[in-house]
Amino acid sequence: MTRKLKLLFILDPLEGLKAYKDSSVAMMRAAVSRGHEVWSVQRAGLAWRDGVVLGTGCVPLEVFEDDAAWYCAGPARALPLAAFDAVMMRQDPPFDFEYVTATWLLEDAMQAGVRVFNNPRAIRDHSEKLAITEFTQFMATSLVARDAADINAFIDELGDVILKPLDGMGGSQIFRVRKDDPNRNVIIETLTGNGARTIMAQRYLAQIADGDKRVLIIGGEVVPFALARIPQAGETRGNLAAGGRGVAMALTAREREIAEYLAPILWQRGLLIVGLDVIGGHLTEINVTSPTCMVEIAAQQGFDVAGLVIDKLEQACAS
């Protein structure tokens, strides 16, 4: 019988979470259903004092199935992170200096023996857009640059490309730019801040019409279903936050090949929860901050992704 665990989730404000679809809520519900204890704290509550990393404002949670009233929080306390069996870093970007500071504090806690997932150094080292450059065999033709001449040359060469910032999420500031687009210069100027910010350009993949596939890897195990986020008519973005429609489906042979190759590498780096984005058999992003889509896959295909996360946490805490 698995011993009762005390789990701390670093989250965005609880009142803003959409419990009917939130993967962190699903994980907390799965943990509580097994008798584990769940707490939450916000990133701003991380602090260091006399060699100890603390969570100020840690609150114990009762978690319910009612999406309209899914939690009841107990009194806030300041607790060392070492008081918990595992800490789950689940706050959304922006990946700004405060986020980086949080990874430094969490890494310091790990030095004192605290189990933190995803590993804070791995989060810091894996830019969700740039991490794919380690696996060029799975990528579409891409460019990372900030000079307008280089980006324009890439557009001229390929004729139809996607431009996106390196720190965006949820489909924000993603542009499809064709060679004859009269707005291409202003789009480049806007995204790069007139050459001050580096961006990514990728060959446009027409298979986006079939969905931007979210493939989940949990503790080195590939979830056998992907969530295809299918764009609305006239859209090039499949992100659910941008109005895409989510359809869970079995992995293709190519998607499984990509995921099975990356799974042991990323798990060995301490990345418990990873969300690959795959379009037309091409790897486009490796999401490690707060990957989602667990609820949709469970609802449509009956595969308990959140339960698998707790399985892997239980195994990690038993080792």
Side-chain angles (χ1 to χ4, degrees):
M1 183 176 178
T2 304
R3 68 181 177 88
K4 179 179 178 179
L5 301 178
K6 187 174 181 179
L7 305 174
L8 178 66
F9 287 76
I10 302 173
L11 300 168
D12 291 305
L14 298 174
E15 62 273 14
L17 300 184
K18 297 178 174 63
Y20 70 93
K21 68 173 184 177
D22 190 276
S23 293
S24 297
V25 173
M27 284 185 269
M28 288 188 284
R29 284 172 169 165
V32 168
S33 73
R34 300 188 191 186
H36 300 311
E37 185 179 337
V38 296
W39 292 62
S40 77
V41 71
Q42 292 185 34
R43 192 181 68 192
L46 295 178
W48 181 98
R49 175 67 190 268
D50 298 330
V52 176
V53 179
L54 308 164
T56 62
C58 294
V59 294
L61 297 179
E62 291 184 72
V63 179
F64 313 111
E65 293 300 321
D66 181 357
D67 289 335
W70 66 270
Y71 74 94
C72 179
R77 297 172 58 189
L79 292 172
L81 298 194
F84 298 91
D85 293 290
V87 176
M88 300 288 288
M89 176 53 159
R90 288 288 300 172
Q91 189 173 32
D92 286 341
F95 198 88
D96 54 15
F97 187 74
E98 281 300 305
Y99 206 112
V100 172
T101 299
T103 68
W104 285 328
L105 291 172
L106 291 171
E107 191 173 2
D108 195 57
M110 288 190 71
Q111 296 296 319
V114 179
R115 297 180 182 91
V116 182
F117 302 102
N118 282 335
N119 181 292
R121 173 173 289 186
I123 290 177
R124 193 170 64 244
D125 289 351
H126 286 76
S127 160
E128 297 191 321
K129 304 295 189 295
L130 287 176
I132 63 172
T133 60
E134 183 181 350
F135 308 103
T136 54
Q137 69 271 38
F138 300 127
M139 291 174 59
T141 307
S142 302
L143 170 75
V144 178
R146 70 182 196 180
D147 185 86
D150 293 333
I151 299 166
N152 273 307
F154 187 80
I155 297 170
D156 288 336
E157 176 188 347
L158 297 183
D160 195 353
V161 307
I162 292 292
L163 302 182
K164 56 186 177 182
L166 298 179
D167 60 351
M169 65 170 291
S172 65
Q173 295 183 287
I174 293 178
F175 292 88
R176 180 183 179 184
V177 181
R178 296 179 177 87
K179 185 175 182 178
D180 60 353
D181 192 325
N183 296 308
R184 62 188 272 185
N185 286 330
V186 70
I187 291 171
I188 294 170
E189 290 167 5
T190 300
L191 283 179
T192 66
N194 289 306
R197 291 190 299 271
T198 301
I199 66 170
M200 175 170 275
Q202 294 177 315
R203 175 167 61 88
Y204 173 72
L205 299 168
Q207 298 97 322
I208 184 63
D210 300 321
D212 179 353
K213 304 280 194 72
R214 168 59 55 84
V215 179
L216 291 169
I217 303 172
I218 308 298
E221 182 175 337
V222 177
V223 173
F225 302 98
L227 189 73
R229 296 159 300 171
I230 300 171
Q232 294 183 4
E235 253 288 2
T236 58
R237 300 172 300 169
N239 308 75
L240 301 183
R245 176 171 56 94
V247 179
M249 56 185 66
L251 299 185
T252 66
R254 175 63 169 175
E255 289 157 4
R256 180 167 288 280
E257 175 193 2
I258 295 170
E260 293 285 2
Y261 183 90
L262 268 63
I265 297 171
L266 299 177
W267 180 221
Q268 197 243 351
R269 296 173 184 175
L271 292 167
L272 173 72
I273 306 171
V274 176
L276 307 181
D277 287 348
V278 181
I279 301 174
H282 297 280
L283 180 65
T284 61
E285 292 186 17
I286 301 176
N287 296 277
V288 299
T289 52
S290 54
T292 60
C293 300
M294 296 181 189
V295 175
E296 294 87 349
I297 291 172
Q300 295 180 36
Q301 293 291 346
F303 189 94
D304 186 7
V305 186
L308 179 58
V309 173
I310 304 306
D311 286 343
K312 299 295 185 179
L313 270 180
E314 290 171 346
Q315 293 167 18
C317 291
S319 60

